[in-house]
Amino acid sequence: MSGRFLSIGECMVELSQAGDGMLRKGFAGDTFNTAWYARACLGPDWSVDYFTALGDDAMSDEMVAFINKAGIGTSLIRRIRGRTPGLYMINLKDGERSFSYWRDSAAARSLAADPDRLREAVESAEVVYFSGITLAILPHEDAETLLAEVRRAKAAGKLVVFDPNIRPRLWSSYDVMHTTISEGARSSVLVMPSFDDEAAHFGDDSIEATIHRYRALGAVHIVVKNGADGVTLNFAGEQTFVPAEKVEKVVDTTSAGDSFNGAFLARYLEAGDAPAAARFAAKVAARVVSEHGALVVREKLGLDGG
Ligand code: ADP
């Protein structure tokens, strides 16, 4: 199989401490991280594109250049005059990381405000990936536009993939969060939640409960990630457990789930075997948590030779 993998969401400017009070600039965001790992793991028959909105400032230009350099297509990105990307900073105190965000006025919030462009992008892809964060940052009516578009893609037989990535503080209320995330899952073919988020925010008391809830909504396949405790796959009703890889020293768990999703989808698209794809993705995610930062370069992922 070949085609286009389209990831929809927000990529932000990332500032992290580099020592001596200096700050290092990077670019990251859940759906972009997944596109990064999908690109690293997919062969040349697949193109990976990122769909978002950016401004017309120098930082937006730099981000586009960075995305392009990673081999990810940027031609579908919406550029809006006078706007800028969102930004976040990683604070380190006594080895503990915390995050500060400046994203309320980010251009990405308008990514679905041009429905024709969104439709054109979705129609051009075989695989469409989005997340609960993508939905959370959009104004209500734009979230509805995006959901209608992915529903249309699902009806057209495309592989629509959704990671609920539940972040309560991005939502105006629990009610809106529950309703919209459930709608995201209903509009998708494959849902890839993290069990700790689902337990904390939907009250699921078991992985079975998470699978049951998403299947009842209409998702066909579900992959529940559970950190070091492995993943449970339910593909069209058939259930498999795949353990996590042993990691000697966990250095940074940022983007563990995003990298798992990207690697899983890459292998699943190429070989069609979900448990084998999960074993591969567990290896990639294990490398990612053994390194600093959200985006680990391909050479460090151990893709050639296990
Ligand atoms: P998220 O980052 O979305 O919370 P998880 O914590 O469930 O996602 O991690 C996603 C995947 O990353 C897991 O399924 C597993 O393969 C891998 N992973 C995460 N933490 C560890 C760990 N401590 N040891 C080994 N693998 C891990």
Side-chain angles (χ1 to χ4, degrees), residues 192-238:
M192 304 187 77
S194 291
F195 181 64
D196 53 356
D197 287 350
E198 305 297 322
H201 305 302
F202 274 99
D204 295 344
D205 58 8
S206 65
I207 287 171
E208 283 302 327
T210 302
I211 290 172
H212 180 77
R213 184 166 48 79
Y214 284 126
R215 275 188 75 81
L217 283 168
V220 185
H221 312 303
I222 297 120
V223 175
V224 185
K225 293 161 283 176
N226 196 15
D229 292 330
V231 296
T232 304
L233 315 177
N234 189 301
F235 262 66
E238 191 172 321

Side-chain angles (χ1 to χ4, degrees), residues 62-127:
E62 225 183 278
M63 189 185 293
V64 165
F66 178 83
I67 296 173
N68 257 318
K69 196 157 171 256
I72 297 167
T74 55
S75 63
L76 303 167
I77 291 177
R78 180 170 187 226
R79 306 291 294 264
I80 308 170
R81 186 171 301 171
R83 302 285 293 275
T84 52
L87 177 144
Y88 73 104
M89 192 161 146
I90 305 170
N91 313 295
L92 248 186
K93 194 167 177 249
D94 306 328
E96 284 291 312
R97 293 151 59 86
S98 65
F99 299 87
S100 305
Y101 291 94
W102 293 264
R103 68 195 302 191
D104 289 355
S105 59
R109 299 207 169 224
S110 304
L111 70 83
D114 181 346
D116 292 344
R117 177 180 274 268
L118 178 65
R119 172 159 299 185
E120 198 184 318
V122 169
E123 281 186 343
S124 76
E126 281 66 34
V127 182

